[in-house]
Short mmCIF file of all heavy atoms in Angstrom, two decimals:
data_model
loop_
_atom_site.label_atom_id
_atom_site.label_comp_id
_atom_site.label_asym_id
_atom_site.label_seq_id
_atom_site.Cartn_x
_atom_site.Cartn_y
_atom_site.Cartn_z
N ALA C 48 -48.73 -77.03 -1.57
CA ALA C 48 -47.57 -76.26 -1.14
C ALA C 48 -47.94 -74.78 -1.23
O ALA C 48 -48.65 -74.36 -2.15
CB ALA C 48 -46.36 -76.55 -2.02
N MET C 49 -47.49 -74.00 -0.27
CA MET C 49 -47.80 -72.58 -0.22
C MET C 49 -46.52 -71.76 -0.26
O MET C 49 -45.44 -72.23 0.10
CB MET C 49 -48.58 -72.24 1.04
CG MET C 49 -49.92 -72.93 1.17
SD MET C 49 -51.11 -72.39 -0.10
CE MET C 49 -51.36 -70.67 0.37
N GLY C 50 -46.66 -70.51 -0.69
CA GLY C 50 -45.49 -69.66 -0.75
C GLY C 50 -45.82 -68.20 -0.57
O GLY C 50 -46.98 -67.79 -0.65
N TRP C 51 -44.78 -67.44 -0.29
CA TRP C 51 -44.87 -65.99 -0.27
C TRP C 51 -44.14 -65.44 -1.48
O TRP C 51 -43.01 -65.84 -1.78
CB TRP C 51 -44.26 -65.41 1.01
CG TRP C 51 -45.15 -65.57 2.20
CD1 TRP C 51 -45.11 -66.55 3.13
CD2 TRP C 51 -46.22 -64.69 2.57
NE1 TRP C 51 -46.09 -66.36 4.08
CE2 TRP C 51 -46.78 -65.22 3.75
CE3 TRP C 51 -46.75 -63.52 2.03
CZ2 TRP C 51 -47.87 -64.61 4.40
CZ3 TRP C 51 -47.83 -62.91 2.67
CH2 TRP C 51 -48.37 -63.46 3.84
N TYR C 52 -44.81 -64.55 -2.17
CA TYR C 52 -44.27 -63.86 -3.33
C TYR C 52 -44.17 -62.37 -2.99
O TYR C 52 -44.90 -61.87 -2.15
CB TYR C 52 -45.18 -64.02 -4.54
CG TYR C 52 -45.49 -65.44 -4.96
CD1 TYR C 52 -46.38 -66.23 -4.23
CD2 TYR C 52 -44.91 -65.99 -6.09
CE1 TYR C 52 -46.69 -67.52 -4.62
CE2 TYR C 52 -45.21 -67.29 -6.50
CZ TYR C 52 -46.09 -68.05 -5.76
OH TYR C 52 -46.39 -69.33 -6.16
N ARG C 53 -43.29 -61.67 -3.67
CA ARG C 53 -43.25 -60.22 -3.49
C ARG C 53 -42.99 -59.54 -4.82
O ARG C 53 -42.38 -60.11 -5.72
CB ARG C 53 -42.21 -59.81 -2.45
CG ARG C 53 -40.75 -59.99 -2.85
CD ARG C 53 -39.86 -59.60 -1.68
NE ARG C 53 -38.45 -59.73 -2.00
CZ ARG C 53 -37.47 -59.58 -1.13
NH1 ARG C 53 -37.74 -59.31 0.15
NH2 ARG C 53 -36.21 -59.70 -1.53
N GLN C 54 -43.47 -58.32 -4.91
CA GLN C 54 -43.31 -57.53 -6.11
C GLN C 54 -42.91 -56.11 -5.73
O GLN C 54 -43.68 -55.40 -5.09
CB GLN C 54 -44.59 -57.51 -6.94
CG GLN C 54 -44.46 -56.81 -8.28
CD GLN C 54 -45.66 -57.02 -9.16
OE1 GLN C 54 -46.78 -57.20 -8.68
NE2 GLN C 54 -45.44 -57.00 -10.47
N ALA C 55 -41.71 -55.74 -6.10
CA ALA C 55 -41.22 -54.39 -5.88
C ALA C 55 -41.57 -53.54 -7.09
O ALA C 55 -41.78 -54.06 -8.19
CB ALA C 55 -39.71 -54.40 -5.65
N PRO C 56 -41.61 -52.21 -6.92
CA PRO C 56 -41.92 -51.34 -8.06
C PRO C 56 -40.98 -51.58 -9.23
O PRO C 56 -39.76 -51.64 -9.07
CB PRO C 56 -41.74 -49.94 -7.48
CG PRO C 56 -42.02 -50.10 -6.02
CD PRO C 56 -41.46 -51.46 -5.68
N GLY C 57 -41.56 -51.73 -10.41
CA GLY C 57 -40.76 -51.93 -11.61
C GLY C 57 -40.23 -53.33 -11.80
O GLY C 57 -39.50 -53.58 -12.76
N LYS C 58 -40.59 -54.24 -10.92
CA LYS C 58 -40.11 -55.61 -11.02
C LYS C 58 -41.29 -56.58 -11.08
O LYS C 58 -42.40 -56.25 -10.66
CB LYS C 58 -39.22 -55.97 -9.84
CG LYS C 58 -37.94 -55.13 -9.74
CD LYS C 58 -37.09 -55.58 -8.57
CE LYS C 58 -35.81 -54.78 -8.49
NZ LYS C 58 -34.97 -55.21 -7.34
N GLN C 59 -41.04 -57.77 -11.58
CA GLN C 59 -42.08 -58.77 -11.63
C GLN C 59 -42.20 -59.48 -10.29
O GLN C 59 -41.28 -59.48 -9.47
CB GLN C 59 -41.83 -59.78 -12.75
CG GLN C 59 -40.65 -60.70 -12.52
CD GLN C 59 -40.51 -61.74 -13.61
OE1 GLN C 59 -40.88 -61.50 -14.76
NE2 GLN C 59 -39.99 -62.90 -13.27
N ARG C 60 -43.34 -60.08 -10.07
CA ARG C 60 -43.57 -60.83 -8.85
C ARG C 60 -42.66 -62.06 -8.82
O ARG C 60 -42.51 -62.76 -9.82
CB ARG C 60 -45.04 -61.25 -8.78
CG ARG C 60 -45.43 -61.93 -7.50
CD ARG C 60 -46.94 -62.05 -7.29
NE ARG C 60 -47.76 -61.79 -8.43
CZ ARG C 60 -48.91 -61.13 -8.38
NH1 ARG C 60 -49.36 -60.65 -7.22
NH2 ARG C 60 -49.62 -60.96 -9.48
N GLU C 61 -42.05 -62.31 -7.68
CA GLU C 61 -41.17 -63.45 -7.56
C GLU C 61 -41.46 -64.23 -6.29
O GLU C 61 -41.83 -63.67 -5.26
CB GLU C 61 -39.70 -63.01 -7.56
CG GLU C 61 -39.29 -62.16 -6.37
CD GLU C 61 -37.79 -61.91 -6.30
OE1 GLU C 61 -37.03 -62.62 -6.99
OE2 GLU C 61 -37.39 -61.01 -5.55
N LEU C 62 -41.26 -65.52 -6.36
CA LEU C 62 -41.41 -66.39 -5.20
C LEU C 62 -40.17 -66.27 -4.33
O LEU C 62 -39.05 -66.44 -4.81
CB LEU C 62 -41.61 -67.83 -5.65
CG LEU C 62 -41.72 -68.91 -4.57
CD1 LEU C 62 -43.00 -68.73 -3.77
CD2 LEU C 62 -41.66 -70.29 -5.21
N ILE C 63 -40.36 -66.00 -3.04
CA ILE C 63 -39.22 -65.85 -2.15
C ILE C 63 -39.14 -66.93 -1.08
O ILE C 63 -38.07 -67.18 -0.52
CB ILE C 63 -39.20 -64.47 -1.47
CG1 ILE C 63 -40.45 -64.25 -0.62
CG2 ILE C 63 -39.05 -63.37 -2.53
CD1 ILE C 63 -40.37 -63.06 0.29
N ALA C 64 -40.26 -67.58 -0.78
CA ALA C 64 -40.27 -68.62 0.23
C ALA C 64 -41.42 -69.57 -0.03
O ALA C 64 -42.49 -69.15 -0.46
CB ALA C 64 -40.40 -68.02 1.63
N SER C 65 -41.21 -70.84 0.21
CA SER C 65 -42.26 -71.83 0.01
C SER C 65 -42.22 -72.86 1.11
O SER C 65 -41.19 -73.07 1.75
CB SER C 65 -42.13 -72.50 -1.36
OG SER C 65 -40.94 -73.26 -1.44
N ILE C 66 -43.35 -73.50 1.30
CA ILE C 66 -43.44 -74.56 2.30
C ILE C 66 -44.42 -75.61 1.81
O ILE C 66 -45.53 -75.31 1.39
CB ILE C 66 -43.84 -73.99 3.68
CG1 ILE C 66 -43.84 -75.09 4.74
CG2 ILE C 66 -45.19 -73.27 3.61
CD1 ILE C 66 -43.91 -74.55 6.17
N SER C 67 -43.99 -76.83 1.86
CA SER C 67 -44.85 -77.94 1.49
C SER C 67 -45.64 -78.38 2.70
O SER C 67 -45.47 -77.86 3.80
CB SER C 67 -44.02 -79.10 0.95
OG SER C 67 -43.14 -79.60 1.94
N SER C 68 -46.54 -79.31 2.49
CA SER C 68 -47.27 -79.91 3.60
C SER C 68 -46.71 -81.29 3.85
O SER C 68 -46.68 -82.11 2.94
CB SER C 68 -48.76 -79.96 3.28
OG SER C 68 -49.49 -80.41 4.40
N PRO C 69 -46.17 -81.54 5.07
CA PRO C 69 -46.41 -80.74 6.26
C PRO C 69 -45.50 -79.53 6.46
O PRO C 69 -45.98 -78.48 6.90
CB PRO C 69 -46.21 -81.74 7.40
CG PRO C 69 -45.21 -82.71 6.87
CD PRO C 69 -45.55 -82.85 5.40
N SER C 70 -44.18 -79.62 6.15
CA SER C 70 -43.36 -78.50 6.59
C SER C 70 -41.96 -78.39 5.98
O SER C 70 -41.03 -77.97 6.64
CB SER C 70 -43.21 -78.55 8.12
OG SER C 70 -42.61 -79.77 8.52
N ARG C 71 -41.78 -78.73 4.72
CA ARG C 71 -40.49 -78.52 4.07
C ARG C 71 -40.41 -77.09 3.56
O ARG C 71 -41.28 -76.64 2.82
CB ARG C 71 -40.28 -79.50 2.91
CG ARG C 71 -38.85 -79.51 2.39
CD ARG C 71 -38.68 -80.41 1.19
NE ARG C 71 -39.09 -79.76 -0.04
CZ ARG C 71 -40.21 -80.02 -0.69
NH1 ARG C 71 -41.05 -80.93 -0.22
NH2 ARG C 71 -40.50 -79.38 -1.80
N GLU C 72 -39.36 -76.37 3.94
CA GLU C 72 -39.21 -74.96 3.63
C GLU C 72 -38.09 -74.71 2.64
O GLU C 72 -37.04 -75.35 2.69
CB GLU C 72 -38.92 -74.17 4.92
CG GLU C 72 -39.91 -74.41 6.03
CD GLU C 72 -39.38 -73.95 7.36
OE1 GLU C 72 -38.51 -73.05 7.38
OE2 GLU C 72 -39.82 -74.49 8.39
N GLN C 73 -38.29 -73.74 1.75
CA GLN C 73 -37.26 -73.31 0.82
C GLN C 73 -37.31 -71.79 0.68
O GLN C 73 -38.37 -71.19 0.76
CB GLN C 73 -37.42 -73.97 -0.54
CG GLN C 73 -37.16 -75.48 -0.53
CD GLN C 73 -37.09 -76.07 -1.91
OE1 GLN C 73 -37.90 -75.75 -2.77
NE2 GLN C 73 -36.12 -76.94 -2.13
N TYR C 74 -36.14 -71.19 0.43
CA TYR C 74 -36.02 -69.74 0.35
C TYR C 74 -35.07 -69.35 -0.76
O TYR C 74 -34.13 -70.08 -1.08
CB TYR C 74 -35.48 -69.16 1.66
CG TYR C 74 -36.24 -69.56 2.90
CD1 TYR C 74 -35.90 -70.70 3.60
CD2 TYR C 74 -37.29 -68.79 3.36
CE1 TYR C 74 -36.59 -71.07 4.74
CE2 TYR C 74 -37.99 -69.14 4.50
CZ TYR C 74 -37.64 -70.29 5.18
OH TYR C 74 -38.33 -70.64 6.31
N VAL C 75 -35.30 -68.17 -1.32
CA VAL C 75 -34.31 -67.60 -2.21
C VAL C 75 -33.16 -67.07 -1.36
O VAL C 75 -33.33 -66.77 -0.17
CB VAL C 75 -34.89 -66.47 -3.09
CG1 VAL C 75 -35.93 -67.02 -4.04
CG2 VAL C 75 -35.47 -65.36 -2.24
N ASP C 76 -31.99 -66.96 -1.96
CA ASP C 76 -30.80 -66.58 -1.21
C ASP C 76 -30.93 -65.22 -0.53
O ASP C 76 -30.38 -65.00 0.55
CB ASP C 76 -29.57 -66.59 -2.11
CG ASP C 76 -29.13 -67.98 -2.50
OD1 ASP C 76 -29.53 -68.95 -1.82
OD2 ASP C 76 -28.36 -68.11 -3.47
N SER C 77 -31.65 -64.30 -1.15
CA SER C 77 -31.74 -62.95 -0.62
C SER C 77 -32.46 -62.86 0.73
O SER C 77 -32.27 -61.89 1.46
CB SER C 77 -32.41 -62.02 -1.63
OG SER C 77 -33.73 -62.46 -1.92
N VAL C 78 -33.27 -63.85 1.06
CA VAL C 78 -34.00 -63.82 2.33
C VAL C 78 -33.60 -64.96 3.26
O VAL C 78 -33.99 -64.96 4.43
CB VAL C 78 -35.52 -63.84 2.13
CG1 VAL C 78 -35.95 -62.75 1.16
CG2 VAL C 78 -36.00 -65.21 1.65
N LYS C 79 -32.83 -65.90 2.78
CA LYS C 79 -32.43 -67.04 3.59
C LYS C 79 -31.67 -66.59 4.82
O LYS C 79 -30.76 -65.77 4.75
CB LYS C 79 -31.58 -67.99 2.76
CG LYS C 79 -31.30 -69.34 3.41
CD LYS C 79 -30.55 -70.27 2.46
CE LYS C 79 -31.36 -70.56 1.22
NZ LYS C 79 -30.67 -71.49 0.29
N GLY C 80 -32.06 -67.12 5.97
CA GLY C 80 -31.45 -66.74 7.22
C GLY C 80 -32.12 -65.57 7.90
O GLY C 80 -31.86 -65.31 9.08
N ARG C 81 -32.97 -64.84 7.18
CA ARG C 81 -33.68 -63.70 7.75
C ARG C 81 -35.19 -63.94 7.84
O ARG C 81 -35.83 -63.45 8.76
CB ARG C 81 -33.43 -62.44 6.92
CG ARG C 81 -31.97 -62.04 6.83
CD ARG C 81 -31.81 -60.67 6.15
NE ARG C 81 -32.30 -60.69 4.78
CZ ARG C 81 -33.29 -59.91 4.32
NH1 ARG C 81 -33.89 -59.05 5.14
NH2 ARG C 81 -33.66 -59.97 3.05
N PHE C 82 -35.74 -64.66 6.88
CA PHE C 82 -37.18 -64.91 6.83
C PHE C 82 -37.46 -66.37 7.16
O PHE C 82 -36.67 -67.27 6.82
CB PHE C 82 -37.74 -64.63 5.43
CG PHE C 82 -37.74 -63.19 5.01
CD1 PHE C 82 -37.10 -62.21 5.76
CD2 PHE C 82 -38.38 -62.81 3.83
CE1 PHE C 82 -37.10 -60.88 5.36
CE2 PHE C 82 -38.39 -61.49 3.42
CZ PHE C 82 -37.75 -60.52 4.19
N THR C 83 -38.59 -66.61 7.79
CA THR C 83 -39.02 -67.96 8.10
C THR C 83 -40.48 -68.14 7.71
O THR C 83 -41.34 -67.38 8.17
CB THR C 83 -38.86 -68.27 9.60
OG1 THR C 83 -37.49 -68.11 9.99
CG2 THR C 83 -39.30 -69.71 9.89
N ILE C 84 -40.76 -69.12 6.87
CA ILE C 84 -42.12 -69.43 6.49
C ILE C 84 -42.60 -70.61 7.32
O ILE C 84 -41.84 -71.52 7.62
CB ILE C 84 -42.22 -69.73 4.97
CG1 ILE C 84 -43.68 -69.85 4.53
CG2 ILE C 84 -41.42 -70.97 4.60
CD1 ILE C 84 -43.86 -69.94 3.02
N SER C 85 -43.86 -70.56 7.70
CA SER C 85 -44.44 -71.65 8.46
C SER C 85 -45.92 -71.75 8.10
O SER C 85 -46.49 -70.86 7.48
CB SER C 85 -44.26 -71.44 9.97
OG SER C 85 -44.89 -70.25 10.40
N ARG C 86 -46.53 -72.85 8.49
CA ARG C 86 -47.94 -73.03 8.22
C ARG C 86 -48.62 -73.75 9.36
O ARG C 86 -48.01 -74.55 10.08
CB ARG C 86 -48.16 -73.79 6.89
CG ARG C 86 -47.73 -75.24 6.91
CD ARG C 86 -47.75 -75.84 5.50
NE ARG C 86 -49.09 -75.87 4.95
CZ ARG C 86 -49.37 -75.97 3.64
NH1 ARG C 86 -48.38 -76.02 2.76
NH2 ARG C 86 -50.63 -76.01 3.22
N ASP C 87 -49.90 -73.47 9.51
CA ASP C 87 -50.74 -74.14 10.49
C ASP C 87 -51.93 -74.66 9.72
O ASP C 87 -52.87 -73.92 9.43
CB ASP C 87 -51.16 -73.17 11.59
CG ASP C 87 -51.91 -73.86 12.72
OD1 ASP C 87 -52.48 -74.95 12.50
OD2 ASP C 87 -51.93 -73.31 13.84
N ASN C 88 -51.88 -75.93 9.36
CA ASN C 88 -52.95 -76.50 8.54
C ASN C 88 -54.30 -76.52 9.26
O ASN C 88 -55.34 -76.42 8.62
CB ASN C 88 -52.57 -77.92 8.11
CG ASN C 88 -51.49 -77.93 7.06
OD1 ASN C 88 -51.24 -76.93 6.39
ND2 ASN C 88 -50.84 -79.08 6.89
N ALA C 89 -54.27 -76.65 10.58
CA ALA C 89 -55.52 -76.64 11.34
C ALA C 89 -56.22 -75.30 11.25
O ALA C 89 -57.45 -75.22 11.35
CB ALA C 89 -55.26 -77.01 12.80
N LYS C 90 -55.44 -74.22 11.08
CA LYS C 90 -55.99 -72.88 10.98
C LYS C 90 -56.03 -72.37 9.54
O LYS C 90 -56.43 -71.23 9.30
CB LYS C 90 -55.20 -71.91 11.84
CG LYS C 90 -55.26 -72.19 13.33
CD LYS C 90 -54.48 -71.15 14.11
CE LYS C 90 -54.59 -71.40 15.60
NZ LYS C 90 -53.83 -70.40 16.38
N ASN C 91 -55.61 -73.20 8.59
CA ASN C 91 -55.57 -72.81 7.18
C ASN C 91 -54.82 -71.49 6.99
O ASN C 91 -55.28 -70.59 6.27
CB ASN C 91 -56.99 -72.70 6.62
CG ASN C 91 -57.76 -73.99 6.74
OD1 ASN C 91 -57.29 -75.04 6.31
ND2 ASN C 91 -58.95 -73.91 7.33
N THR C 92 -53.67 -71.40 7.62
CA THR C 92 -52.91 -70.15 7.63
C THR C 92 -51.44 -70.41 7.37
O THR C 92 -50.88 -71.41 7.85
CB THR C 92 -53.08 -69.43 8.98
OG1 THR C 92 -54.47 -69.19 9.22
CG2 THR C 92 -52.35 -68.10 8.98
#
């Protein structure tokens, strides 16, 4: 499973979006509806 984390100044790194293989997606409330995570396993991206 892969995810995107972010770290703002003065704050700790936090997970904001994740995706399992093949394609189950989860988001924190602050980005839900605005961000979309996806993966291409053939391209390892």
Side-chain angles (χ1 to χ4, degrees):
M49 299 293 295
W51 283 96
Y52 304 75
R53 69 183 182 187
Q54 185 170 29
K58 298 182 179 180
Q59 69 176 30
R60 185 167 13 219
E61 65 172 344
L62 177 67
I63 61 168
S65 65
I66 184 167
S67 63
S68 186
S70 59
R71 192 184 82 255
E72 307 163 26
Q73 292 190 317
Y74 307 89
V75 295
D76 288 342
S77 60
V78 308
K79 190 175 298 182
R81 300 188 298 120
F82 292 8
T83 301
I84 188 171
S85 61
R86 68 190 296 160
D87 187 337
N88 287 342
K90 296 182 178 180
N91 302 307
T92 303

